């Protein structure tokens, strides 16, 4: 039997063989002409994937949290007012992070499973004097999606910078950064972008760069300072060598391949594939009698699902058995409901067959754990959705 278990967690995900091959190729100099070309093209491809024709892409060695930190370091000065929209653990992370840089942070926090009401955000923005607001497009702790388009629109009308944490959405959920007026859209390599962990990726608007240029105090982080990295990114795009800190050469080669694959699929086709697989996953889980954390399908993410355990069954009863049956899933993350639910990642290179295998493995696990349901009902319901797209 093939010694592989499907990795269906919300990052790292399953990677394409060509991406992994790029990672394993002999490492060149970071200023070798071939690498300069690859780095330059990767930056150009990011602009297309983010749909941000005038945005400034940045590729840094680090995880998604570094991408968030870069925002705090460059766009916050002590005393600035920031609004954090929190639908879970990753929203809360921004509250702590921005306050480290001296921001006075206001948080709109919703109970686990609910999404942001932007009419309320509109009112809060009316009353306050905010420089910046953050939103988590898909909070990976709750599988809740916010309306990123409305988020961008409100930022523009209220003249507040918008920072979208797209770590669990970029290249999986629809984002038109330019059209939606989002100032920073950030992610990490290991999620829907489809590259092993290690890269922090951001695309920054002209408006955000102007805000950064008009700072009165120095950026306090040495590594994260845009002043160090912008000349490097600009040089590579002009196909010129440059250096501040050694770039993650192999990861950038892998990113170049993955972004090429994403663009070859086409952004609209890619979003539609994620929407179909997300809907099929939710239908399968529902047919097995499982509830979910998002309170409404309308704001349930397409990149991951967060089903609740049936009563009497715990993480320890189910997840090892699902793994035994062929799929690795993740446990709960949100502090308040951690033991009540689990998470299935379905983003990036995920195919309908991967989802069907996963639902099948969940059925096997549920049966072994003693849950009562009609065997095959989940797979049938998922198939039904996939057949009708
Ligand atoms: C994974 C994730 C992060 C953190 O990324 P790391 O690469 O783990 O540092 C931040 N925000 C969201 C929405 C995520 O899913």
């Amino acid at each position: 039997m093939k010694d592989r278990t499907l990795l269906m967690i919300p990052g790292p995900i399953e990677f394409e063989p060509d991406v992994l091959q790029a990672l394993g190729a002999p490492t060149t100099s970071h200023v070798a002409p071939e690498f300069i070309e690859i780095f330059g093209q990767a930056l150009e491809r990011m602009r297309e994937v983010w749909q941000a024709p005038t945005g400034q892409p940045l590729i840094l060695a680090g995880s998604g949290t570094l991408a968030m930190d870069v925002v705090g370091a460059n766009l916050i000065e002590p005393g600035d007012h920031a609004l954090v929209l929190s639908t879970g653990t990753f929203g809360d992370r921004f509250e702590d992070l921005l306050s480290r840089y001296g921001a006075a942070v206001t948080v709109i926090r919703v109970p686990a499973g609910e999404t942001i009401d932007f009419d309320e955000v509109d009112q809060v923005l009316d009353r306050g004097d905010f420089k910046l607001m953050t939103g988590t497009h898909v909070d990976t702790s709750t599988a809740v999606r916010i309306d990123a388009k409305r988020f961008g629109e409100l930022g523009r009308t209220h003249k507040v910078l918008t920072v979208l944490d797209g770590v669990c959405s970029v290249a999986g959920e629809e984002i038109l950064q330019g059209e939606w007026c989002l100032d920073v859209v950030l992610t990490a390599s290991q999620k829907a972008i489809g590259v092993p962990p290690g890269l922090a990726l951001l695309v920054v608007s002209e408006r955000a760069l102007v805000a950064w240029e008009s700072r009165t105090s120095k950026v306090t982080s040495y590594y994260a300072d845009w002043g160090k990295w912008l000349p490097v990114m600009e040089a590579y795009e002009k196909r010129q060598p440059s250096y501040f800190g050694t770039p993650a050469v192999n990861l950038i080669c892998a990113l170049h391949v993955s972004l090429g694959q994403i663009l070859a699929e086409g952004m609209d086709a890619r979003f539609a594939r994620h929407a179909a697989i997300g809907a099929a996953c939710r239908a399968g889980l529902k047919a097995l009698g499982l509830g979910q954390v998002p309170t409404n399908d309308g704001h349930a993410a397409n990149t991951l699902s967060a089903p609740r355990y049936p009563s009497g069954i715990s993480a320890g009863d189910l997840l090892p058995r699902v793994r035994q049956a062929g799929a690795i899933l993740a446990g709960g993350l949100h502090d308040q409901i951690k033991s009540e639910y689990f998470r299935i990642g379905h983003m990036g290179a995920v195919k309908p067959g991967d989802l069907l295998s996963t639902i099948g493995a969940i059925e096997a696990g549920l049966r072994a754990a003693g849950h009562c349901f009609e065997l095959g009902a989940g797979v049938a319901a998922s198939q039904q959705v996939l057949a009708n797209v």
Side-chain angles (χ1 to χ4, degrees):
M1 195 166 72
K2 187 165 68 98
D3 184 23
R4 292 276 288 130
T5 307
L6 261 184
L7 182 60
M8 298 292 283
I9 66 171
I13 61 164
E14 294 262 335
F15 302 118
E16 291 281 6
D18 288 352
V19 171
L20 295 175
Q21 200 155 14
L23 202 64
T27 306
T28 63
S29 156
H30 58 287
V31 290
E34 314 85 89
F35 180 69
I36 291 175
E37 182 61 33
I38 285 171
F39 201 150
Q41 281 186 20
L43 292 163
E44 289 159 4
R45 287 176 182 181
M46 276 177 68
R47 215 175 265 119
E48 288 183 63
V49 169
W50 269 244
Q51 307 193 55
T54 59
Q56 172 60 55
L58 289 152
I59 302 175
L60 302 174
S63 81
T65 308
L66 175 73
M68 297 168 77
D69 208 21
V70 162
V71 167
N74 288 280
L75 292 180
I76 294 293
E77 288 186 81
D80 283 344
H81 288 242
L83 179 63
V84 168
L85 311 182
S86 178
T87 50
T89 308
F90 292 102
D92 291 350
R93 185 171 285 196
F94 253 130
E95 177 187 14
D96 182 17
L97 192 154
L98 298 179
S99 54
R100 302 285 179 105
Y101 290 100
V105 183
T106 303
V107 186
I108 296 181
R109 182 180 287 110
V110 296
E114 288 177 23
T115 193
I116 297 292
D117 171 0
F118 279 99
D119 292 335
E120 184 191 341
V121 175
D122 197 4
Q123 288 165 14
V124 172
L125 288 172
D126 264 337
R127 293 196 300 265
D129 178 25
F130 297 101
K131 177 180 186 183
L132 169 153
M133 69 171 162
T134 68
T136 313
H137 195 193
V138 169
D139 200 299
T140 321
S141 69
T142 52
V144 165
R145 184 181 54 233
I146 66 165
D147 182 348
K149 185 170 182 226
R150 184 88 198 280
F151 175 67
E153 280 166 7
L154 285 180
R156 186 177 31 173
T157 22
H158 291 275
K159 298 193 165 43
V160 173
L161 293 171
T162 47
V163 176
L164 188 71
D165 173 351
V167 181
C168 200
S169 68
V170 171
E173 302 273 1
E174 184 180 44
I175 301 176
L176 308 173
Q177 182 176 356
E179 223 176 286
W180 295 356
C181 293
L182 298 163
D183 292 300
V184 179
V185 176
L186 62 92
T187 189
S189 51
Q190 77 276 16
K191 304 217 181 160
I193 287 285
V195 176
L199 293 177
L201 308 167
L202 307 95
V203 177
V204 179
S205 74
E206 288 164 317
R207 199 167 71 138
L209 288 176
V210 169
W212 168 74
E213 277 162 8
S214 25
R215 289 177 64 99
T216 53
S217 61
K218 225 174 174 168
V219 171
T220 53
S221 163
Y222 185 71
Y223 182 81
D225 188 351
W226 284 345
K228 304 290 186 195
W229 290 109
L230 288 171
V232 175
M233 302 301 145
E234 282 160 11
Y236 276 102
E237 252 196 285
K238 288 191 204 129
R239 308 302 192 260
Q240 287 162 5
S242 184
Y243 169 75
F244 168 58
T246 307
V249 173
N250 287 56
L251 279 167
I252 292 171
C253 293
L255 175 70
H256 173 255
V257 172
S258 193
L259 293 173
Q261 291 175 342
I262 290 167
L263 291 169
E265 179 177 14
M267 297 316 297
D268 291 341
R270 192 170 175 92
F271 300 143
R273 175 167 57 84
H274 280 81
I277 289 181
C281 188
R282 291 188 294 275
L285 296 166
K286 195 172 172 196
L288 297 175
L290 306 191
Q292 63 169 351
V293 174
T295 50
N296 189 314
D297 268 358
H299 64 250
N302 291 321
T303 47
L304 89 153
S305 296
R308 291 183 177 274
Y309 296 111
S311 66
I313 293 177
S314 69
D317 298 327
L318 185 65
L319 299 184
R321 289 177 163 124
V322 175
R323 187 187 185 122
Q324 188 81 25
I328 300 170
L329 307 181
L333 183 65
H334 192 288
D335 269 345
Q336 269 140 40
I337 53 167
K338 210 175 183 130
S339 62
E340 299 169 18
Y341 75 109
F342 59 104
R343 297 176 301 148
I344 308 165
H346 35 75
M347 62 185 120
V350 65
K351 289 166 190 64
D354 299 331
L355 196 256
L356 294 173
S357 304
T358 304
I359 298 289
I362 292 170
E363 289 195 13
L366 285 170
R367 191 178 156 93
H371 179 57
C372 196
F373 66 101
E374 189 195 331
L375 201 61
V379 174
S382 295
Q383 279 279 31
Q384 221 26 276
V385 172
L386 291 167
N388 288 324
V389 290

